[in-house]
Amino acid sequence: MKSDVEELMPRLLPVEVGDGTEDLDLNGPPRNPREYLRQVQLEASLCPEVVVAQIDPKKLKKKQTVNASVAGCQAAPVGFSPSLRWQQHQVSCFSDIRQSITKHRNHWSSQTLDDNVLMPKLTDEEGWKRFCLGEKVYLGTSSCDADTDPALDYSKVGFPPFLSIVSRLNQATVSVVLEILISWFEERDFVPQLGRWLYALLACLEKPLLPEAHSLIRQLARRCALLRSTLESQEDERLSALNLLICLVARYFEQNDLADQQE
């Protein structure tokens, strides 16, 4: 009579049952294919059908599962969220820019970079912060816009995301730099250098999104919404940029639960 296991999973390689099973040595190598299959069968017959793991709960205290938040964005204060028409216009412009980058990527990536443009290695987190934001922002000495610096020393104010630069970034680098900048933004204020790079990286981010990128852009939108909720005036220069990033994540990348709704 067949066992329950054999009823559910019939043998694909049936082996004749004969005398000599007791002579099988499970500790030694099989001498032929038939003996190997008989060893497998014998080992399986000696295994219990149900096994209960003995787990020490004390060892799990420091290895608890981390639950990722899927909450939506912080609601905008009254009068701080953009109109639906504005959002649709921004998505349309963003889509055109993405298509242009894709179309001309080979051209821009073949352009020669200036000698002072030394792009960091992929794993150089601190190097990317300095490269994108500049030493003034990275070191916290100033948050002034690069356009107001007469010397235009990119090592001080950060390299703008020129097409000749971003066109050289593959998707792995785009995701890594995006993660670095968003992590920096989580603990600091919004600055123009950051906004330019976030917009450029989103423009280079290919769809459909990988899970890591999906999580990153949602994190970005929530951070923008949280910062927006603290603004005291609709004239704050950060408001438009924050609204734009939330709009692109929600409307273009279809994270609809994060979208600003009509007031």
Side-chain angles (χ1 to χ4, degrees):
M1 186 176 181
K2 294 184 177 180
S3 66
D4 293 339
V5 175
E6 289 178 310
E7 289 289 348
L8 294 174
M9 297 185 295
R11 296 173 181 170
L12 297 180
L13 294 174
V15 179
E16 296 180 2
V17 178
D19 297 335
T21 300
E22 64 280 358
D23 297 330
L24 288 177
D25 182 8
L26 295 181
N27 297 320
R31 292 166 293 186
N32 53 60
R34 182 176 176 278
E35 189 170 296
Y36 168 74
L37 294 175
R38 290 297 297 133
Q39 282 186 349
V40 172
Q41 287 182 339
L42 183 57
E43 288 177 343
S45 67
L46 297 176
C47 293
E49 293 186 3
V50 178
V51 178
V52 179
Q54 300 298 324
I55 300 175
D56 183 0
K58 296 180 180 179
K59 296 182 179 180
L60 300 178
K61 288 184 177 180
K62 296 183 180 180
K63 298 182 180 180
Q64 296 296 319
T65 301
V66 177
N67 296 319
S69 173
V70 294
C73 284
Q74 177 79 28
V78 176
F80 281 66
S81 61
S83 67
L84 180 59
R85 182 176 180 180
W86 183 89
Q87 294 180 64
Q88 292 171 338
H89 175 69
Q90 299 303 327
V91 168
S92 177
C93 293
F94 182 69
S95 179
D96 291 341
I97 290 174
R98 282 173 61 91
Q99 292 177 19
S100 179
I101 292 176
T102 300
K103 181 179 180 181
H104 301 290
R105 179 179 295 275
N106 290 337
H107 167 74
W108 286 110
S109 62
S110 65
Q111 300 300 303
T112 303
L113 296 176
D114 293 340
D115 294 338
N116 64 329
V117 182
L118 300 176
M119 297 177 64
K121 295 181 180 179
L122 180 62
T123 56
D124 187 1
E125 181 175 340
E126 302 306 313
W128 280 111
K129 292 176 185 177
R130 289 177 180 269
F131 184 85
C132 299
L133 305 175
E135 291 182 0
K136 289 185 176 181
V137 173
Y138 172 67
L139 299 176
T141 57
S142 173
S143 61
C144 65
D145 196 331
D147 296 335
T148 65
D149 192 308
L152 206 61
D153 184 350
Y154 289 135
S155 65
K156 300 294 183 182
V157 298
F159 286 90
F162 295 126
L163 286 173
S164 56
I165 293 178
V166 297
S167 294
R168 285 174 159 79
L169 307 181
N170 58 31
Q171 285 301 292
T173 305
V174 169
S175 296
V176 167
V177 179
L178 195 58
E179 180 178 8
I180 290 172
L181 295 182
I182 292 174
S183 296
W184 184 90
F185 182 34
E186 282 287 343
E187 300 178 355
R188 294 170 180 81
D189 200 358
F190 184 87
V191 292
Q193 295 94 321
L194 175 67
R196 286 192 286 266
W197 269 98
L198 290 175
Y199 188 93
L201 292 170
L202 290 177
C204 295
L205 195 61
E206 295 179 357
K207 297 175 68 175
L209 296 177
L210 295 174
E212 295 81 1
H214 177 273
S215 176
L216 280 173
I217 65 171
R218 289 182 63 86
Q219 181 183 349
L220 171 61
R222 287 195 292 266
R223 171 56 182 156
C224 289
L226 181 61
L227 180 57
R228 181 181 61 181
S229 68
T230 66
L231 301 182
E232 298 180 355
S233 170
Q234 297 179 25
E235 303 302 320
D236 194 305
E237 61 182 9
R238 296 169 293 176
L239 178 59
S240 179
L242 295 174
N243 280 339
L244 176 58
L245 292 172
I246 295 170
C247 168
L248 296 180
V249 170
R251 302 291 184 180
Y252 184 85
F253 291 102
E254 302 173 309
Q255 307 301 305
N256 298 315
D257 61 308
L258 304 180
D260 285 314
Q261 305 300 326
Q262 290 289 92
E263 295 183 352

